[in-house]
Amino acid sequence: MSQVRAFSYQSLPMRVVMGPGVLGRLADELDAAGLKRVLILCSPPQQALGEVVAQLIGDRAVGVCPHARMHVPVESAAAARDRVAELGADGCVAVGGGSAIGLGKAIALELGLKIIAVPTTYAGSEMTSVWGLTENGRKRTGKDPRVLPVSVLYDPELTLSLPALASATSGMNAIAHAVEALYAPDASPVISLMAEEGVRSLAAALPAVVAKGKDLLARGDAQYGAWLCGACLGATTMSLHHKLCHALGGTLDLPHAETHTVVLPHALAYNQPAAPDAVAALQRALGGVDDPATALWELAGRLSTPRSLRELGMEEDDIDQIVEQVLAHPYANPREVTADGLTRLLSRAWAGEPPAA
């Protein structure tokens, strides 16, 4: 017998502006947020773009901080907070991928300043209230509404110079957000629809983005998918996949998006037997495939991304400490997480073998 629907859903209090050339509307977004003195945050490779953004808004840019780092080390966050105080900034504009946006979140968490995000990858972290900080080889994460950007500008023209590998892995990272949202304990019909559409859009767009780097339509579709997938992560509870990636990234300093790309098919394969509704949604999103986990592993292969943790610098001897760390502080998960199951999952991911339940 069918059950009456029962769920809760809360929309994110933020503004999204999407389309070619929308970077030119940044001044309007600053006005809407009431910001008059902002620090531009970016990673070292994005410093030139950070300077362009600073020039675009003139005197309202008090400086460019090009020191964002992957996994947001607490030292980097402290230095950026000091820079904000020194310059008297009343907000930040984070330009780039997860490193820059993560640094903005760290500043917002500590100082309560408003953040505007201008993403140049497809990871989707700009759509979430999730923050992360790494200290002494451990990555701490949490959720706080203060870190949610007040506005996000998705301009596909800013992604045209994004290398094929970064496009592919950041897109797979976003897909991982939607996959976990589909079997999250606090999923809702609204989020499930967004997750399915986000996976469909990204899975269809990424091959064209990688094969034809100047395809603005494909890049726009990928940003659309990233928006949806990121919003899913922002509205639901993270599960095994994200716990594994946080442990691998924080402890071993593995590259963020590449780690998500490698782990996703294996974590999904582990959970598929306990998540039939999620499997059905992913089957539809991926074009009627039988096994979504294998389909995502094959998609990663077509995109020429890494498919083993060994390629990312992990040693086989590291498996035991990651298993121990994940079991010590587990996340909610549809299937019971055991030491044996985790060891088998990580062993296959380390070796680059196809995923298996």
Side-chain angles (χ1 to χ4, degrees):
M1 183 182 224
S2 298
Q3 294 183 335
V4 176
R5 292 186 188 276
F7 64 91
S8 62
Y9 169 73
Q10 182 172 335
S11 60
L12 298 174
M14 71 185 325
R15 175 176 165 82
V16 173
V17 184
M18 183 173 292
V22 298
L23 178 62
R25 295 163 61 178
L26 177 57
D28 294 336
E29 297 305 309
L30 293 175
D31 288 341
L35 297 176
K36 301 185 183 302
R37 295 176 56 82
V38 295
L39 180 64
I40 311 300
L41 307 174
C42 58
S43 63
Q46 295 282 15
Q47 183 171 359
L49 178 57
E51 298 287 353
V52 168
V53 172
Q55 292 173 11
L56 182 66
I57 58 176
D59 292 343
R60 283 200 274 188
V62 296
V64 176
C65 177
H67 306 301
R69 285 185 54 200
M70 185 173 60
H71 305 305
V72 195
V74 292
E75 298 83 3
S76 297
R81 289 195 300 267
D82 290 345
R83 188 67 173 152
V84 164
E86 175 189 343
L87 296 171
D90 60 3
C92 295
V93 176
V95 181
S99 297
I101 292 165
L103 182 58
K105 289 179 176 182
I107 293 171
L109 183 68
E110 181 72 18
L111 303 179
L113 299 187
K114 293 178 180 179
I115 305 297
I116 291 177
V118 183
T120 61
T121 70
Y122 307 120
S125 62
E126 64 279 353
M127 288 303 303
T128 82
S129 61
V130 178
W131 58 266
L133 288 166
T134 300
E135 183 175 17
N136 298 324
R138 291 289 187 272
K139 187 170 184 177
R140 297 182 290 113
T141 63
K143 283 189 174 184
D144 193 303
R146 290 177 298 173
V147 311
L148 189 71
V150 296
S151 181
V152 180
L153 300 178
Y154 285 106
D155 189 335
E157 293 178 350
L158 299 181
T159 72
L160 289 173
S161 61
L162 187 65
L165 178 60
S167 297
T169 56
S170 66
M172 293 294 289
N173 184 6
I175 288 174
H177 302 334
V179 167
E180 290 226 305
L182 284 167
Y183 52 64
D186 48 359
S188 73
V190 175
I191 292 300
S192 294
L193 288 169
M194 294 172 68
E196 184 175 334
E197 174 67 359
V199 172
R200 185 206 62 75
S201 183
L202 270 166
L206 287 176
V209 167
V210 169
K212 298 177 287 185
K214 302 303 181 183
D215 189 333
L216 201 62
L217 178 60
R219 289 187 176 275
D221 287 346
Q223 283 191 320
Y224 168 67
W227 164 47
L228 293 173
C229 292
C232 292
L233 176 65
T236 54
T237 300
M238 292 180 287
S239 298
L240 176 61
H241 168 84
H242 281 86
K243 182 62 182 181
L244 281 167
C245 292
H246 292 160
L248 289 162
T251 303
L252 305 179
D253 199 30
L254 300 188
H256 182 81
E258 290 89 338
T259 301
H260 277 270
T261 301
V262 172
V263 170
L264 172 59
H266 299 277
L268 177 57
Y270 187 91
N271 280 327
Q272 278 183 165
D277 290 343
V279 170
L282 291 170
Q283 287 172 331
R284 294 190 296 267
L286 296 171
V289 300
D290 292 328
D291 180 357
T294 297
L296 289 174
W297 187 77
E298 291 173 346
L299 174 61
R302 291 197 300 276
L303 298 174
S304 299
T305 68
R307 288 199 292 183
S308 74
L309 294 173
R310 175 170 50 188
E311 293 175 73
L312 305 184
M314 180 181 179
E315 301 291 338
E316 190 171 14
D317 291 343
D318 292 328
I319 291 175
D320 289 343
Q321 68 166 316
I322 298 301
V323 169
E324 180 180 351
Q325 187 179 144
V326 171
L327 289 176
H329 302 284
Y331 285 5
N333 199 63
R335 184 180 177 189
E336 182 184 4
V337 179
T338 66
D340 286 345
L342 275 184
T343 300
R344 287 194 294 270
L345 185 163
L346 284 170
S347 295
R348 297 185 74 87
W350 179 82
E353 297 173 356

